[in-house]
Amino acid sequence: MSASWTREHHAAQDFVASSCRPEHDEAGLESIEKAADRVLEETGIRFLDDPQTIDMLKQIGGVASGDVVRLDGTELRSIIRRHAPAKFLLRGRNPARDTLVGASAPPVFAPIYGAPNVVLGNGKRVAGTRQIYAELVAAAHAALGLTNTGQMICVMEDVPEDRRPLEMLLAHLIHSDKPFMGSIASPAAAEAVADLTAAAVGRPAAARECNLLHLINATPPLTYWPNPLKCLRAIALKGEASMVSSYMMMGATSPVTVAGALIQGYAEVLAGLALAQLWRPGAPVVMGILAYPFDMRRMLPDFGDPASQLVQHYAAKLGRRLGVPVRGDGAITSAKVDDAQSGAEGGRVLSAAVSSGAHFILHATGWLEQGRTVSLEKFHRDAAALAELGHGKPADLPMHLDHGIEAEIRGRLAQS
Amino acid sequence: MSASWTREHHAAQDFVASSCRPEHDEAGLESIEKAADRVLEETGIRFLDDPQTIDMLKQIGGVASGDVVRLDGTELRSIIRRHAPAKFLLRGRNPARDTLVGASAPPVFAPIYGAPNVVLGNGKRVAGTRQIYAELVAAAHAALGLTNTGQMICVMEDVPEDRRPLEMLLAHLIHSDKPFMGSIASPAAAEAVADLTAAAVGRPAAARECNLLHLINATPPLTYWPNPLKCLRAIALKGEASMVSSYMMMGATSPVTVAGALIQGYAEVLAGLALAQLWRPGAPVVMGILAYPFDMRRMLPDFGDPASQLVQHYAAKLGRRLGVPVRGDGAITSAKVDDAQSGAEGGRVLSAAVSSGAHFILHATGWLEQGRTVSLEKFHRDAAALAELGHGKPADLPMHLDHGIEAEIRGRLAQS
């Protein structure tokens, strides 16, 4: 980094200090944006193995050298502000379950995403299966506080990897009529799931309406891998939504300070959010800047640390300045069992997300053990707490899935 | 309430809805103020058995009928805004431990206040004693995250009630040199403790400096009891600080809705905060509006409910509009043991207080069982979490207390 870099960094550092500033302090937030602009301009972002992305970024003035593109932050913000919707309607099979995402809409809550292990209600610890997945979707449907049944609540270890996107889709469509999240296994999987979900929802989408939200992760520091880039493009072209997130381990994949993590994360998501708008102006997006300290002794992230809650606080403010909905995390924890540590860490993270004004809160139920495990017991405890927030609707049995669509998905699975 | 009352109430109700609105929405906050003004003007506040208070309020236009005074909210706000400091310095015996309270200063944390029962480190449950009190003050001193050792951390059940204020004072002065809170046992006790503390701190107080913060509670609904009124006056005249709080049980001592509780609580604290300024313009004050749903089945308040966190969120905004520091609660819970419920409820309340921008956070460590119990184990767990916030200073042994002051306090105790 250049010698003068410290000036921007220090301004951001002085601003975030170590407390939440509730007052509007646009100058302080601008110091983070300016520092991120220096990162984008002088260091750039690495876009791995996706020439289409690099060509597109060159068209808006990006300076490519190999797979690194140096970018103009002001231009990226201007593209996002011009096109990205401040809120959009995420639709379910049941129109009564449609949820607004963004602006002053209440937060949408979705369960844990990506757990390989499951702790069953009887305390038994098992690998995720197709059968358990169905039960988790049914539990998410029944949970008053969850307004989205998510995606990959656990990993279906008993299903070959290429079949999982459609198997998960089937579970979300059969066992619930709430909105859920899309597949990012591959661009082809994302497209297939989007088309089949659109058929199941069965209502044409107006502007600012879609059926699926997809988790598009940058790979900090300052990198996007090929699959997320290709999925982001495919999803935008389908008119579906992407939650562009930077999930940083402070001290490992980002600077260890709150200010440093915010600067890096903001630079990363600016690039992704602008790309979505370049592929399809008006594409619904959600911005996520999340950072957890990395514990060097245990080589694991430390969930529940207040530094992360400061990152969330300022990330939400940066998102509001940008005019896009913001992501938060739910009751996430480093605890191995659902004890006082689990409760306290999860309670603090969830409350910080809600207080920050986050619009889509992922990992809201069931998360244990750094997210490697979904616990049925915690799933229900978290869901009960969310229900108290009062945003959900009473759980009915899901609307029956159209036979033709179920047959179509089963037919494709039979061929694969 | 008059027929037209619903207009103001509905405006406030529509504003708070059931989510945190992070955007500045001054019109919405004004709707709460206006509704509170109606309560003050049409219903008034009951000031029990304290003619001096009623006389003073008449001088600013209050209309008294018996012990109820109907008041002009605009006038109360104008008095508070004109005189109350936005921040003040709360001083300890050790100048390095002085803490700013208010504005953009980081939150001050104090331990649980008022617990009759103690759960010791070995799990044994006992009544509070003088010996345990000393140990709790020492623990609060050693806790990096606590920047105030509070008051009545437990009740000294083995000490006659009239001796407790000086016994507690002695413990806070001997076992710590951090700032702490004053006595509200009686106006005489408040004055004696204030004088002795001033001698122990030993530095003359400039404007916006004091040595003690006192918990002055309204008694909802819309009532102040005589002792808090007399203490408030004595404390203001001594130049010490008062934390004027309305601690409501929603559905029992306040309306059950967030909007209703905010309206009532704001009306209550406006009166107390203005009184402090009338007794002594510039008296340091902190505003507290706290409300917890009352569980009619168990006849106990329900700590950790998100409704309370909304109250905290808007209370902090109302306090900022008023220009005074704001109170929050720490890791409080209804749980009987320090389990996942305890962690989650406490974590959510603490995080909401910090996120709201609260300046003085009471009950930050040790609280269990609706506050009837201080748990040593939870005290240490909570303190460790606070330490991560990074506002505290390393714990040294407390500065030695001046022998003359110790002798003076012991002499007074010997005479009583």
Side-chain angles (χ1 to χ4, degrees):
Chain A
M1 284 175 190
S2 77
S4 65
W5 159 248
T6 49
R7 187 168 51 85
E8 278 86 358
H9 183 258
H10 284 164
Q13 185 102 4
D14 288 350
F15 168 58
V16 304
S18 58
S19 49
C20 290
R21 299 193 186 209
E23 283 80 18
H24 265 211
D25 194 339
E26 301 301 333
L29 294 166
E30 212 170 289
S31 73
I32 296 170
E33 293 172 355
K34 278 190 180 153
D37 289 354
R38 284 290 292 276
V39 173
L40 287 165
E41 189 190 330
E42 297 185 3
T43 308
I45 306 273
R46 187 175 298 272
F47 300 92
L48 291 176
D49 196 20
D50 191 51
Q52 273 186 272
T53 287
I54 292 179
D55 287 346
M56 178 57 98
L57 291 171
K58 278 184 188 164
Q59 288 180 34
I60 58 153
V63 179
S65 123
D67 47 17
V68 172
V69 185
R70 289 183 291 122
L71 291 157
D72 175 357
T74 306
E75 173 66 14
L76 298 181
R77 276 193 295 281
S78 144
I79 290 166
I80 297 163
R81 288 189 178 128
R82 197 157 55 235
H83 298 299
K87 70 176 171 194
F88 60 90
L89 190 70
L90 191 53
R91 306 178 313 161
R93 285 200 298 123
N94 183 346
R97 304 267 185 201
D98 290 355
T99 49
L100 276 168
V101 180
S104 63
V108 173
F109 294 99
I112 181 175
Y113 187 124
N117 306 309
V118 182
V119 177
L120 300 174
N122 60 10
K124 209 176 146 192
R125 189 189 174 87
V126 296
T129 64
R130 195 172 66 123
Q131 174 60 26
I132 290 171
Y133 198 90
E135 287 163 17
L136 287 166
V137 172
H141 181 76
L144 188 61
L146 289 176
T147 43
N148 191 291
T149 62
Q151 176 72 189
M152 208 191 290
I153 312 178
C154 72
V155 178
M156 291 182 181
E157 302 277 8
D158 60 343
V159 173
E161 211 163 331
D162 60 344
R163 292 168 58 93
R164 290 177 194 166
L166 290 189
E167 287 285 6
M168 288 192 281
L169 173 64
L170 210 47
H172 285 278
L173 288 177
I174 288 178
H175 299 287
S176 176
D177 55 20
K178 293 181 180 177
F180 54 99
M181 296 175 73
S183 174
I184 49 156
S186 68
E191 285 166 352
V193 167
D195 289 341
L196 291 161
T197 304
V201 170
R203 291 171 281 154
R208 300 188 192 87
E209 292 186 1
C210 62
N211 309 315
L212 291 167
L213 177 64
H214 299 77
L215 183 55
I216 300 295
N217 277 322
T219 302
L222 301 175
T223 302
Y224 279 86
W225 280 23
N227 185 55
L229 289 174
K230 292 175 205 296
C231 284
L232 177 70
R233 183 165 58 243
I235 291 158
L237 292 176
K238 283 281 176 198
E240 298 295 344
S242 285
M243 185 151 72
V244 178
S245 299
S246 167
Y247 213 84
M248 295 168 277
M249 303 290 117
M250 302 164 84
T253 64
S254 85
V256 79
T257 64
V258 170
L262 280 165
I263 293 164
Q264 178 188 310
Y266 184 69
E268 288 167 357
V269 299
L270 268 193
L273 293 167
L275 271 171
Q277 301 311 314
L278 291 168
W279 297 128
R280 174 157 170 160
V285 286
V286 175
M287 185 195 95
I289 300 176
L290 305 110
Y292 298 92
F294 195 75
D295 183 330
M296 298 295 178
R297 278 175 307 179
R298 297 180 299 154
M299 295 305 280
L300 286 169
D302 195 356
F303 295 104
D305 187 281
S308 307
Q309 293 151 48
L310 279 177
V311 171
Q312 175 66 34
H313 178 79
Y314 291 111
K317 286 176 180 266
L318 291 168
R320 282 197 287 282
R321 278 170 67 87
L322 209 48
V324 295
V326 171
R327 170 182 169 185
D329 271 355
I332 67 175
T333 174
S334 297
K336 290 189 169 51
V337 292
D338 191 27
D339 57 4
Q341 178 196 355
S342 162
E345 292 179 343
R348 291 198 296 263
V349 176
L350 173 69
S351 176
V354 172
S355 295
S356 78
H359 301 97
F360 194 95
I361 299 184
L362 193 60
H363 308 311
T365 59
W367 170 298
L368 263 188
E369 221 186 334
Q370 276 103 1
R372 290 189 309 241
T373 302
V374 49
S375 149
L376 265 288
E377 187 185 355
K378 183 157 181 290
F379 195 103
H380 292 301
R381 182 175 70 70
D382 290 335
L386 295 178
E388 290 181 349
L389 284 163
H391 301 313
K393 292 205 173 71
D396 285 318
L397 290 181
M399 289 167 53
H400 201 76
L401 175 62
D402 178 88
H403 280 298
I405 291 161
E406 182 172 347
E408 167 71 24
I409 300 173
R410 291 201 190 279
R412 292 202 201 184
L413 278 166
Q415 284 159 26
S416 72
Chain B
M1 288 176 187
S2 76
S4 66
W5 159 249
T6 48
R7 189 168 49 87
E8 277 86 357
H9 183 259
H10 283 165
Q13 184 102 3
D14 289 350
F15 169 58
V16 304
S18 57
S19 50
C20 291
R21 298 191 187 213
E23 284 79 17
H24 265 213
D25 193 339
E26 300 302 331
L29 295 165
E30 212 170 289
S31 72
I32 296 171
E33 292 172 356
K34 278 191 180 153
D37 288 355
R38 285 289 293 274
V39 173
L40 289 164
E41 189 189 330
E42 297 185 3
T43 309
I45 306 271
R46 187 175 298 271
F47 300 92
L48 291 176
D49 196 19
D50 191 49
Q52 274 186 272
T53 288
I54 292 177
D55 287 346
M56 178 56 98
L57 291 172
K58 279 186 192 161
Q59 287 179 35
I60 57 153
V63 180
S65 123
D67 47 17
V68 173
V69 185
R70 289 184 291 125
L71 292 158
D72 175 357
T74 307
E75 173 67 14
L76 299 180
R77 275 193 294 280
S78 145
I79 291 166
I80 297 162
R81 288 190 178 127
R82 195 155 57 237
H83 299 298
K87 69 176 170 195
F88 60 90
L89 190 71
L90 191 54
R91 307 177 315 161
R93 285 200 297 121
N94 181 346
R97 303 264 184 206
D98 291 354
T99 49
L100 275 169
V101 180
S104 63
V108 173
F109 294 99
I112 181 173
Y113 187 124
N117 306 309
V118 183
V119 177
L120 300 174
N122 60 11
K124 210 178 146 189
R125 188 188 175 90
V126 298
T129 65
R130 196 171 65 122
Q131 176 59 26
I132 291 172
Y133 198 89
E135 286 163 18
L136 286 166
V137 172
H141 181 76
L144 186 62
L146 289 175
T147 43
N148 191 292
T149 63
Q151 176 71 191
M152 209 191 288
I153 312 178
C154 71
V155 178
M156 291 182 178
E157 302 279 9
D158 60 343
V159 173
E161 210 162 332
D162 60 344
R163 293 169 57 92
R164 290 178 193 166
L166 290 189
E167 288 285 7
M168 288 192 281
L169 173 64
L170 210 47
H172 285 277
L173 289 176
I174 288 176
H175 300 287
S176 177
D177 55 19
K178 293 181 180 178
F180 54 99
M181 296 176 73
S183 175
I184 49 156
S186 67
E191 285 166 351
V193 168
D195 289 341
L196 291 161
T197 305
V201 170
R203 293 171 280 155
R208 301 191 191 84
E209 292 186 1
C210 63
N211 309 315
L212 291 167
L213 177 64
H214 299 76
L215 183 54
I216 300 295
N217 277 324
T219 302
L222 301 174
T223 303
Y224 279 86
W225 280 23
N227 185 55
L229 289 173
K230 292 175 203 296
C231 283
L232 178 69
R233 182 164 58 243
I235 290 157
L237 293 174
K238 283 282 175 197
E240 298 295 345
S242 285
M243 184 152 71
V244 178
S245 298
S246 168
Y247 212 85
M248 295 168 278
M249 303 289 118
M250 302 164 84
T253 64
S254 84
V256 77
T257 64
V258 170
L262 281 164
I263 293 164
Q264 178 188 309
Y266 184 69
E268 288 167 358
V269 299
L270 267 192
L273 294 168
L275 271 170
Q277 301 311 314
L278 290 169
W279 297 128
R280 174 155 168 161
V285 286
V286 175
M287 184 195 95
I289 300 177
L290 306 109
Y292 297 93
F294 196 75
D295 183 330
M296 298 295 178
R297 278 175 308 180
R298 297 181 299 154
M299 294 305 280
L300 286 169
D302 194 356
F303 295 104
D305 187 281
S308 307
Q309 294 150 47
L310 278 178
V311 171
Q312 175 66 34
H313 178 79
Y314 291 111
K317 285 175 179 265
L318 291 168
R320 281 197 288 283
R321 277 171 68 89
L322 208 50
V324 295
V326 171
R327 169 181 170 187
D329 272 355
I332 68 174
T333 173
S334 297
K336 292 190 166 51
V337 293
D338 191 26
D339 56 4
Q341 178 196 356
S342 162
E345 292 179 342
R348 289 197 297 261
V349 177
L350 172 69
S351 175
V354 172
S355 295
S356 78
H359 302 97
F360 193 96
I361 298 184
L362 193 61
H363 308 309
T365 59
W367 170 298
L368 262 188
E369 221 185 336
Q370 275 103 3
R372 291 188 309 243
T373 303
V374 50
S375 149
L376 265 289
E377 186 185 355
K378 182 157 182 291
F379 195 104
H380 292 299
R381 182 175 69 73
D382 290 336
L386 295 177
E388 290 182 348
L389 283 163
H391 301 312
K393 293 204 173 71
D396 284 319
L397 289 181
M399 290 167 54
H400 201 78
L401 176 63
D402 178 87
H403 281 299
I405 291 161
E406 183 172 348
E408 168 70 22
I409 300 173
R410 291 201 190 280
R412 293 203 201 183
L413 277 166
Q415 286 160 25
S416 69

